[in-house]
């Protein structure tokens, strides 16, 4: 363990940015606010790079640390907070701050003119701070401090336009569902504290042996519930599509690239625990596999461009969990890496489209944008191609590695799920492309065609899109089967030979390519020539997310509120009534007291003093008579 | 020093009694000044206070030697944090009460008298003295509610009075029983506790006395089902009264367990630990559910207090039954944390929000954040602190309580943790309706935060943040005393 002074910079710069932009939101110009907000995240990224270089210069197996302060002391549990810069933590931190920087920059253009510009930057910086704390902590307590605060940032930013009814509902829903997961996670922490007496990662992992299998599984599963809620996995995913109420860059950063992958990070971070349980890892794989398929099915039935991307995100995070669940932690982290590029790219490009169409998000009213927005079209083409898993784009390599690992780990059923989801992914990707960009111009495009002269956006918006575009093309080249294996190598310091690295797998390669081509072909054949007309009437089953949202509402929220009303009624009529009955019996006494005190306070004070004196004398007399 | 601490407010009350009642502003300032002196004294004491050194700042004089009453004051790691809370919250509550225009003189005199009572309860080490302070607290609060309260103040104040008087009379019986059964001829709390720990009280006797004390403290906390006076009292009380009621008065009940019931009657406490823990968890869940259904903002906060005090009761029970230092530390932590968050909540519900919306009904409000952003932010801060956002003091207290109680009462902790979801639920629902959305009611004309409101809320917010980020600020203070208490209990129970 080597102390590194670069680590705190990753947290402190965004925190400082949040404080300065919050306090100076009325004083500074939007230009300076954007510069401060983006610049601090950029500095955080540079600190991350410096820490990464420092780590690489050390012997393998070394870790960067930075001790902070005691958080809990005395009693059965001692907790000292600290930062932990191992390859996994820095891997995540670099993406959070790197992609975060680009999205901050993009926001300068996207949010220009918004009256709450300063508040926006303050909250976005605060998110980067909290997320960095989450990934860089050296124990579960620090993790949960970050975990809760990214939740708050997410709440504030989903509800950023808080006058909107849909936005405030979405914010509440997101916080509440993730809080439910957090409570399960807390129970996992309590149990872990009882079982290991430690919540500091290395100390905890050192004590895994000797703890019963059942306990390990129970703790892992409780942590997993938290991960499932945060990462919008089945069945706690219903908040994510609604969360798209937030500004689009927020969707890109928080609800696509980083925060929703916190669950994946948790499983990868706690890999010794999940591996020791075995069963828990199996559950992780199934949750991930099923969500990957479910998200892809539902995404293919959405008409709102951002909701397509939201369901796509949950599906892709499902892949990451699938990878982690079969023990291919490095592959999982790798897919997080490529996904951050192409999904952020897609969201930011979608933001450009929405911006251009004056807020229109319905795919059925778009169409033909290829001509007026060539750069955005290229971005979508690359982003969707990467998402669909077309070579040589980023998603192809990382998804394939996960699928190969699934097959080689002896999970043919999960593998089949994954391949089917891949076909559906290609289908919804090219459905989106066809609806928005191909064919004749849709009504929303025609209505705003006068703004065509304005170009596609300012440089602060196009530069980040361009850089992400490069990433979406090239990020996958870090792990070309048989050629490169960068993620596996650099993450070795965390997984210590225990992560499963699949070999090149020609069956998987063929199957997933075939699946992608079939999905793409069907989508283009179906949606290229004609655009569906918006229909009035109830949405189809898949479009409504199989009604899980409503089912959940009926099963939890409504009974909860009903129970609350019953309790409140019982409290007034029952418990209080009972006691009031007693009080009525002593009413005579009460009446007297009241009459005495109805007059002036002075007289009351006299009565009071008299009463006290009486009490005093009385008790003295009582006592001395014994 | 403790004498000066306790009686400065009383002197202030007397000074105010001799002031011209027309000079209202002068009276307000005098009250504030006299309430700031205890805060100063407590801060001075904090520098000298040594955690782990047992009772400190002890003052002891014979008072009524014939029956063994002495004037005996002292403070340790269990009571000192409560002195800080009391000395901090009272001046803020007085400041919050500057808008009182009706019978100003009496109001502030009573408020200072109340502070003397509260401080006295936490430092008295003689039962006789303790009881006097206990009653001194009751009476001014009765008047504060009954005279300066809302429309149903008469009902609320009488209910408060009857409940707490019944509680304290039964408690007095318990205290007298201890006095006589010990045969020591002294009201010295520590001596009687020592006697109890040596197992010199008959087990059946212990049970009866514990029940009597339990009832007395339970009404004050309040523990379900003795809690129904609280929502009425809070809703009707003036803002300043609510602030000290929630911030300090409720803690007198749980303090009674720490100082009296547990150390003096450890065997009975262990025997009743499970029912206590059960009642604590019932309070957590029941209080949260009841809070969720309240349309009245103040009532919601009141039920939330019942819910939060449940953590304290659970922590005490787990500390007794399982010897968990963490659980008891957590209980004390929640006492302090709730002691600073709940006054802020009541200040918001009763003053900051009310004076702008002229209603306390949640369904009638809306869009406060877009009208008065700073006030809205303070409300959001308080709500997130109260719902246990990691990084603020509420989370730390709940975490310590639960982590300590988990091995002792696993099922109960799991049920109690569900309460955390409900707690998040009603706070979020409240914010959704009060803060977010389109503004309702009269458009414009709302003034954002005033200087006085800032002065009241900023210290509470700062402390909430500081304790959440750096809990050892408080933990290091209480831990040695809690360890000593737990050791005594374990020893009395035959050790582990």
């Amino acid at each position: 363990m080597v102390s590194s002074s670069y680590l705190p910079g990753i947290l402190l710069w965004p925190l400082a940015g949040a404080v300065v932009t919050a306090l100076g939101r009325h004083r500074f110009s939007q230009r300076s606010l954007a510069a401060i907000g983006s610049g601090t995240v950029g500095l955080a990224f540079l600190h991350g790079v410096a820490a990464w270089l420092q780590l690489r210069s050390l012997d393998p197996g070394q870790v960067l640390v930075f001790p902070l302060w005691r958080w809990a002391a005395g009693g059965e549990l001692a907790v000292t907070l600290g930062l932990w810069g191992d390859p996994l933590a820095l891997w995540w931190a670099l993406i959070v701050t790197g992609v975060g920087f680009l999205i901050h920059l993009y926001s300068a253009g996207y949010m220009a003119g918004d009256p709450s510009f300063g508040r926006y930057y303050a909250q976005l910086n605060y998110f980067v701070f909290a997320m960095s704390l989450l990934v860089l902590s050296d124990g579960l307590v620090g993790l949960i401090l970050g975990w809760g605060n990214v939740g708050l940032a997410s709440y504030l930013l989903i509800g950023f336009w808080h006058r909107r009814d849909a936005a405030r509902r979405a914010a509440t829903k997101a916080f509440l569902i993730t809080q439910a997961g957090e409570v399960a996670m807390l129970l996992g922490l309590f149990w872990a504290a009882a079982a290991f007496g430690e919540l500091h990662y290395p100390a905890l992992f050192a004590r895994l042996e000797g703890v019963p299998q059942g306990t390990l599984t129970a703790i892992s599963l409780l942590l997993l519930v938290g991960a499932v809620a945060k990462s919008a996995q089945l069945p706690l995913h219903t908040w994510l599509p609604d969360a798209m109420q937030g500004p689009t860059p927020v969707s890109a950063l928080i609800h696509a690239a980083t925060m929703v992958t916190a669950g994946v990070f948790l499983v990868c971070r706690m890999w010794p625990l999940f591996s020791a349980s075995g069963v828990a890892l199996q559950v992780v794989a199934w949750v991930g596999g099923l969500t990957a398929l479910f998200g892809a099915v539902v995404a293919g039935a959405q008409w709102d461009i951002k909701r397509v991307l939201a369901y796509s995100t949950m599906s892709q995070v499902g892949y990451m969990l699938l990878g982690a669940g079969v023990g291919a932690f490095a592959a999982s982290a790798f897919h997080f890496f490529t996904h951050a590029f192409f999904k952020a790219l897609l969201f930011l490009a979608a933001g450009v489209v929405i911006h251009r169409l004056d807020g229109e998000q319905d795919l059925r009213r778009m169409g033909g944008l290829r001509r007026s927005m060539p750069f955005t079209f290229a971005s979508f083409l690359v982003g969707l191609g990467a998402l669909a898993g077309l070579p040589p784009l980023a998603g192809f390599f990382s998804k394939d590695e996960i699928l190969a690992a699934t097959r080689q780990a002896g999970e043919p059923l999960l593998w089949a799920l994954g391949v089917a989801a891949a076909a559906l992914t290609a289908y919804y990707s090219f459905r989106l492309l066809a609806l928005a960009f191909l064919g004749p111009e849709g009504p929303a495009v025609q209505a705003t065609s006068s703004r065509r002269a304005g170009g596609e956006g300012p440089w602060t918006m196009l530069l980040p899109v361009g850089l992400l575009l490069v990433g979406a093309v090239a990020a996958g080249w870090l792990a070309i089967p048989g050629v490169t294996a960068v993620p596996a190598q650099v993450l070795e310091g965390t997984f210590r030979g225990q992560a499963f690295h699949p070999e090149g797998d020609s069956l998987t390669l063929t199957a997933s390519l075939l699946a992608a081509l079939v999905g793409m072909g069907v989508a283009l054949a179906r949606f290229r020539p004609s655009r569906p007309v918006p229909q009035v009437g109830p949405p189809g089953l898949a479009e409504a997310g199989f009604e899980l949202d409503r089912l959940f509402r009926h099963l939890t929220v409504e009974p909860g509120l009903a129970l609350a009303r019953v309790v409140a009624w019982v409290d007034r009529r029952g418990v209080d009534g009972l006691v009031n009955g007693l009080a009525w019996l002593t009413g005579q006494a009460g009446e007297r007291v009241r009459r005495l005190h109805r007059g002036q306070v002075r007289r009351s004070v006299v009565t009071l003093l008299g009463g006290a004196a009486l009490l005093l004398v009385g008790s003295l007399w009582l006592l001395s008579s014994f | 020093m403790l004498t000066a601490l306790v009686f400065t407010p009383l002197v202030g009350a007397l000074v105010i009694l001799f002031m011209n009642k027309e000079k209202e502003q002068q009276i307000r300032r005098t009250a504030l000044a006299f309430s700031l002196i205890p805060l100063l004294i407590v801060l001075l004491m904090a520098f000298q206070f040594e955690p782990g050194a047992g009772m400190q700042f002890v003052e002891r004089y014979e008072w009524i030697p014939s029956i063994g009453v002495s004037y005996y004051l002292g403070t340790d790691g269990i009571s000192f944090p409560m002195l800080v809370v009391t000395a901090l919250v009272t001046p803020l509550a007085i400041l919050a009460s500057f808008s009182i225009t009706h019978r100003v003189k009496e109001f502030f005199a009573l408020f200072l008298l109340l502070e003397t009572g509260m401080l006295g309860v936490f430092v008295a080490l003689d039962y006789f003295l303790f009881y006097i302070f206990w009653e001194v607290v009751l009476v001014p609060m009765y008047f504060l509610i009954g005279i300066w309260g809302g429309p149903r103040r008469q009902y609320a104040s009488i209910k408060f009075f009857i409940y707490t008087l019944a509680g304290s009379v039964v408690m007095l019986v318990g205290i007298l029983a201890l006095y006589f059964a010990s045969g020591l001829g002294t009201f010295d709390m520590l001596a009687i506790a020592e006697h109890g720990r040596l197992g010199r009280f008959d087990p059946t006797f212990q049970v009866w006395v514990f029940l009597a004390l339990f009832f007395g403290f339970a009404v004050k906390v309040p523990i379900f089902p003795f809690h129904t006076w609280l929502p009425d009292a809070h809703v009707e009380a003036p803002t300043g009264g609510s602030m000290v009621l929630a911030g300090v008065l409720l803690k007198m009940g749980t303090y009674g367990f720490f100082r009296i019931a547990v150390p003096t009657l450890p065997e009975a406490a262990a025997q009743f630990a499970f029912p206590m823990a059960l009642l604590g968890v019932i309070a957590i869940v029941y209080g949260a559910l009841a809070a969720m259904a309240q349309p009245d903002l103040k009532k919601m906060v009141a039920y939330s207090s019942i819910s939060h005090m449940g953590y304290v009761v659970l922590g005490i029970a787990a500390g007794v039954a399982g010897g968990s230092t963490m659980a008891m530390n957590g209980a004390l932590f929640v006492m302090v944390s709730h002691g600073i968050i709940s006054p802020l909540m009541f200040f918001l519900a009763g003053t900051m929000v009310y004076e702008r919306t002229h209603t306390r009904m949640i369904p009638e409000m809306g869009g406060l954040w877009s009208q008065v952003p700073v006030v809205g932010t303070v409300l959001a801060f308080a709500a997130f602190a109260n719902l246990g956002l990691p990084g603020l003091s509420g989370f730390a207290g709940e975490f310590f309580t639960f982590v300590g109680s988990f091995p002792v009462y696993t099922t109960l902790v799991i049920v109690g943790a569900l309460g955390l979801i409900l707690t998040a639920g009603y706070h979020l629902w409240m914010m959704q309706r009060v803060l977010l959305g389109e503004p309702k009611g009269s458009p414009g004309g709302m003034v954002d935060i005033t200087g006085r409101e800032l002065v009241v809320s900023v210290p509470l917010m700062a402390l909430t943040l500081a304790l959440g980020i750096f809990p050892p600020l408080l933990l290091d203070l209480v831990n040695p005393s809690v360890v000593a208490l737990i050791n005594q209990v374990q020893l009395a129970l035959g050790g582990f």
Side-chain angles (χ1 to χ4, degrees), chain A residues 69-72 74 76 145 149 152 162-163 168 172 182-183 190 564 571-572 576 579-580 594 601 604 608, chain B residues 103 139 154-155 159 163 227-228 232 286 289 303 324-326 384 390 402 417 432 437-438 468-469 471-472 476:
Chain A
W69 53 78
R70 284 180 309 135
W71 191 77
E76 308 88 272
L145 291 175
N149 281 283
L152 175 58
H162 49 67
R163 283 177 172 232
R168 62 174 180 165
T172 301
E182 198 178 306
V183 166
F190 302 151
D571 197 58
R572 287 282 88 175
D576 193 33
V579 189
N580 277 358
R594 182 153 59 179
V601 183
S604 307
L608 156 67
Chain B
R103 298 201 195 174
V139 178
Q154 298 250 320
Y155 171 76
K159 197 166 172 182
Y163 265 74
H227 64 276
T228 55
D232 287 313
Y286 183 96
L289 280 169
Y303 276 105
S324 167
T325 317
M326 210 65 184
F384 277 104
F402 276 155
Q432 182 180 321
E438 285 294 336
I469 294 174
D476 288 349

Side-chain angles (χ1 to χ4, degrees), chain A residues 303 357 359-369 435-436 440-448 531-534:
Chain A
W303 297 112
L357 298 182
E360 181 61 69
Q361 297 185 192
D362 192 331
L363 285 168
R364 288 167 297 196
R365 295 173 53 76
M366 299 178 186
L369 282 168
L435 287 170
E441 292 195 339
V445 182
Q446 286 162 358
T448 53
R531 195 178 47 251
V533 185

Side-chain angles (χ1 to χ4, degrees), chain A residues 214-288:
Chain A
T215 308
L216 296 178
T217 300
I219 296 171
S220 310
L221 290 180
L222 284 168
L223 294 181
L224 180 62
V225 175
V228 162
K230 205 67 156 185
S231 289
Q233 300 291 290
L234 280 177
L236 299 176
H237 64 282
T238 56
W239 63 270
L240 185 62
D242 292 8
M244 297 298 122
Q245 285 295 329
T248 301
V250 168
S251 310
L253 178 60
I254 303 184
H255 304 115
T258 57
M259 187 190 80
V260 287
T261 65
V264 182
F265 175 78
L266 179 67
V267 175
C268 289
R269 179 81 286 170
M270 300 301 290
W271 70 268
L273 176 70
F274 279 83
S275 298
S277 154
V279 181
L281 218 47
Q282 195 83 14
V283 178
V284 171
W286 276 97
V287 168

Side-chain angles (χ1 to χ4, degrees), chain B residues 54-355:
Chain B
M55 280 299 165
Q56 295 165 59
F57 304 100
V58 172
E59 292 176 37
R60 185 169 201 173
Y61 309 101
E62 291 291 322
W63 186 11
I64 314 172
S66 59
I67 53 167
V69 172
S70 55
Y71 177 83
Y72 186 12
L73 307 179
T75 181
D76 64 354
I78 290 170
S79 55
F80 189 69
M82 290 318 300
L83 292 182
V84 179
V85 171
T86 310
L88 174 69
V89 170
T90 310
L92 298 181
I94 285 179
L95 198 59
S97 305
F98 269 31
S99 48
I100 295 275
T101 50
H102 176 60
R103 298 201 195 174
V104 174
K105 182 170 156 176
E106 287 94 334
F107 181 91
F108 288 101
L110 283 169
F111 220 102
L112 288 172
L113 178 64
L114 180 66
E115 184 175 20
T116 288
M118 295 188 296
L119 292 169
V121 164
F122 293 123
V123 293
L125 294 178
D126 179 284
Y127 276 116
F128 195 85
L129 201 57
F130 175 82
Y131 188 75
I132 290 176
F133 284 128
W134 186 275
E135 292 299 309
V136 163
V137 169
L138 169 58
V139 178
M141 189 46 89
Y142 165 75
F143 287 114
L144 289 181
I145 300 171
I147 296 172
W148 293 274
R152 291 175 73 232
R153 56 180 178 268
Q154 298 250 320
Y155 171 76
S157 60
I158 295 213
K159 197 166 172 182
F160 167 79
F161 194 83
I162 290 174
Y163 265 74
T164 44
L165 190 67
S168 54
V169 165
V170 176
M171 181 185 83
L172 179 65
V173 172
I175 289 175
L176 292 178
L178 284 177
Y179 172 76
F180 292 115
S182 72
L184 298 174
T186 173
F187 278 95
D188 181 339
M189 273 184 190
L190 304 182
I192 292 177
E194 176 81 42
H195 187 82
R197 280 200 303 279
L198 295 173
R200 295 194 184 141
F201 288 127
D202 172 66
T204 326
F205 171 83
Q206 279 207 33
V207 167
W208 283 106
V209 175
F210 186 85
L211 283 177
L213 294 175
F214 177 83
F215 179 73
F217 300 144
V219 168
K220 206 81 178 181
V221 174
I223 296 175
F224 174 91
F226 309 115
H227 64 276
T228 55
W229 62 268
L230 183 95
D232 287 313
H234 266 310
V235 168
E236 301 306 324
T239 300
S242 291
M243 286 171 73
V244 289
L245 186 57
V248 183
L249 259 67
L250 308 186
K251 280 74 188 176
M252 286 164 48
T254 46
Y255 174 75
F257 285 105
F258 273 105
R259 177 64 71 229
I260 298 175
V262 170
T264 314
L265 305 164
E267 287 163 43
Q271 207 173 328
F272 283 101
F274 181 74
M276 267 182 75
L278 186 65
L279 286 176
V281 169
I282 289 177
I284 295 174
V285 176
Y286 183 96
L289 280 169
M292 198 177 299
Q294 301 305 324
D296 183 326
L297 185 55
K298 239 179 160 182
K299 225 168 198 169
M300 187 204 91
V301 184
Y303 276 105
S304 130
S305 288
I306 296 170
S307 181
H308 280 93
M309 293 309 284
Y311 298 102
V312 183
V313 176
L314 171 68
I316 294 172
V320 171
S324 167
T325 317
M326 210 65 184
M328 269 209 183
N329 278 341
L332 275 167
F333 207 103
V334 174
M335 281 165 69
V336 171
S337 162
H338 187 252
I340 51 179
I341 297 172
S342 63
L344 183 58
M345 282 300 264
F346 276 112
F347 182 56
L348 282 153
T351 299
M352 282 175 78
V353 172
Y354 181 77
E355 286 182 355

Side-chain angles (χ1 to χ4, degrees), chain B residues 233-489:
Chain B
H234 266 310
V235 168
E236 301 306 324
T239 300
S242 291
M243 286 171 73
V244 289
L245 186 57
V248 183
L249 259 67
L250 308 186
K251 280 74 188 176
M252 286 164 48
T254 46
Y255 174 75
F257 285 105
F258 273 105
R259 177 64 71 229
I260 298 175
V262 170
T264 314
L265 305 164
E267 287 163 43
Q271 207 173 328
F272 283 101
F274 181 74
M276 267 182 75
L278 186 65
L279 286 176
V281 169
I282 289 177
I284 295 174
V285 176
Y286 183 96
L289 280 169
M292 198 177 299
Q294 301 305 324
D296 183 326
L297 185 55
K298 239 179 160 182
K299 225 168 198 169
M300 187 204 91
V301 184
Y303 276 105
S304 130
S305 288
I306 296 170
S307 181
H308 280 93
M309 293 309 284
Y311 298 102
V312 183
V313 176
L314 171 68
I316 294 172
V320 171
S324 167
T325 317
M326 210 65 184
M328 269 209 183
N329 278 341
L332 275 167
F333 207 103
V334 174
M335 281 165 69
V336 171
S337 162
H338 187 252
I340 51 179
I341 297 172
S342 63
L344 183 58
M345 282 300 264
F346 276 112
F347 182 56
L348 282 153
T351 299
M352 282 175 78
V353 172
Y354 181 77
E355 286 182 355
R356 290 176 174 82
T357 59
H358 306 290
T359 178
R360 288 199 317 260
M361 292 299 154
I362 295 172
E364 292 170 20
M365 302 183 206
L368 213 58
W369 219 335
S370 41
Q371 287 176 302
V372 278
V374 182
V375 171
T377 303
V378 177
L379 179 59
F381 181 94
F384 277 104
N386 214 26
L387 72 78
L389 182 80
L392 300 177
S393 64
F395 173 79
E398 287 157 19
F399 186 90
F400 300 145
T401 309
F402 276 155
V403 89
S405 308
F406 187 84
V408 189
Y409 299 119
T410 307
T411 317
L412 288 180
V413 168
I414 292 172
V415 176
L418 292 180
L420 288 176
I421 304 178
L422 297 172
T423 308
Y426 67 80
H427 281 106
L428 289 167
W429 201 31
M430 179 275 284
M431 283 189 282
Q432 182 180 321
R433 291 178 293 170
V434 173
L435 281 182
L436 313 178
E438 285 294 336
K440 282 187 190 171
S442 56
M446 271 193 205
V447 192
D448 209 346
I449 202 156
T450 65
R452 185 153 57 85
E453 288 168 343
L454 264 180
V455 173
V456 175
S457 44
V458 166
L460 296 172
M461 289 164 72
L463 201 54
T464 306
L465 188 63
L467 287 179
I469 294 174
F470 194 68
L473 272 180
L474 176 58
L475 276 182
D476 288 349
L477 209 62
V478 303
N479 189 58
S481 296
V482 168
V483 169
L485 175 60
I486 292 217
N487 286 342
Q488 290 167 357
V489 171

Side-chain angles (χ1 to χ4, degrees), chain A residues 20-211:
Chain A
V20 172
T21 47
L23 295 178
R25 65 193 185 283
H26 298 308
R27 285 181 206 101
F28 300 149
S29 68
Q30 294 205 347
R31 243 183 118 86
S32 353
L33 286 169
I36 296 166
S38 313
T40 49
V41 179
L43 282 169
F45 176 70
L46 292 180
H47 278 79
V49 172
W52 182 265
L53 294 176
Q54 189 187 0
L55 182 70
R56 299 294 292 168
S57 71
L58 300 172
D59 291 336
Q62 282 282 25
V63 178
L64 301 181
V65 292
F66 188 84
L68 296 174
W69 53 78
R70 284 180 309 135
W71 191 77
E76 308 88 272
L77 182 70
V79 176
T80 301
L81 298 179
L83 302 181
W84 183 255
D86 74 338
L88 181 74
L90 288 176
W91 180 267
W92 239 270
L94 282 173
I95 290 293
V96 169
T97 52
V99 173
F101 169 69
L102 295 179
I103 291 173
H104 273 73
L105 198 60
Y106 175 93
S107 300
Y110 191 86
M111 299 299 289
D114 192 289
S116 300
F117 195 81
R119 173 164 62 91
Y120 174 83
Y121 267 101
Q123 293 175 353
L124 209 61
N125 274 15
Y126 163 61
F127 167 77
V128 174
F129 157 72
M131 190 72 200
S132 306
L133 176 64
L134 191 163
V135 299
L136 287 172
S137 283
D138 68 353
L140 282 170
V141 170
L143 177 122
I144 206 141
L145 291 175
W147 195 274
N149 281 283
V150 293
L152 175 58
S154 162
Y155 171 86
L156 294 170
L157 285 162
I158 293 171
F160 182 74
W161 288 305
H162 49 67
R163 283 177 172 232
R164 290 188 192 165
D165 191 49
R168 62 174 180 165
R169 284 173 196 283
T172 301
K173 186 173 172 182
F175 195 92
L176 196 55
I177 292 178
T178 48
Q179 170 83 8
E182 198 178 306
V183 166
M185 227 172 120
L186 274 174
L187 287 171
L189 257 70
F190 302 151
W191 205 330
F196 307 112
E198 276 286 355
L199 294 175
H200 182 241
Y201 299 134
L204 192 158
F205 297 151
R207 297 184 187 188
L208 287 173
E209 284 187 26
V211 174

